Amino acid sequence: EAGVNFTPIYTEVYDPELKENEAEVLGLLDQALFLREGGFASLAGPASDVTVLIAGASGELASKVTKKLFAKGVEHERILFCDFF
């Protein structure tokens, strides 16, 4: 059955534009995406089928998350970016 599994991860308690908050935001994303029970695949199945939207993250933070997503097997064309949120 085709469908959408939407998992929002809000980090508004940290200003993503401030460099000193980058570690906290990256830690929250790591916990929610990669360190969860069942691992990354527990989000929506095989990484090749996952589409990710990264919104409101600074360029450096988005780059770090993107590299981790690539390492898990998410295709480049399935990672979307939005400068604001």
Side-chain angles (χ1 to χ4, degrees), residues 40-41 43-52 69 73-75 77-79:
F40 183 71
L43 282 172
S48 59
D49 294 341
V50 172
T51 299
V52 177
L69 292 168
V74 177
E75 301 290 331
E77 59 273 1
R78 297 183 73 101
I79 300 176

Side-chain angles (χ1 to χ4, degrees), residues 24-85:
E24 286 87 357
V25 172
L26 193 55
L28 288 171
L29 293 173
D30 278 344
Q31 185 66 39
L33 295 174
F34 308 113
L35 303 176
R36 59 189 287 126
E37 184 177 334
F40 183 71
S42 70
L43 282 172
S48 59
D49 294 341
V50 172
T51 299
V52 177
L53 169 64
I54 300 173
S58 68
E60 286 186 39
L61 180 62
S63 176
K64 289 178 181 181
V65 173
T66 299
K67 288 176 184 175
K68 290 183 177 206
L69 292 168
F70 286 155
K72 292 293 182 183
V74 177
E75 301 290 331
H76 174 69
E77 59 273 1
R78 297 183 73 101
I79 300 176
L80 310 171
F81 300 92
C82 181
D83 292 338
F84 61 92
F85 183 72

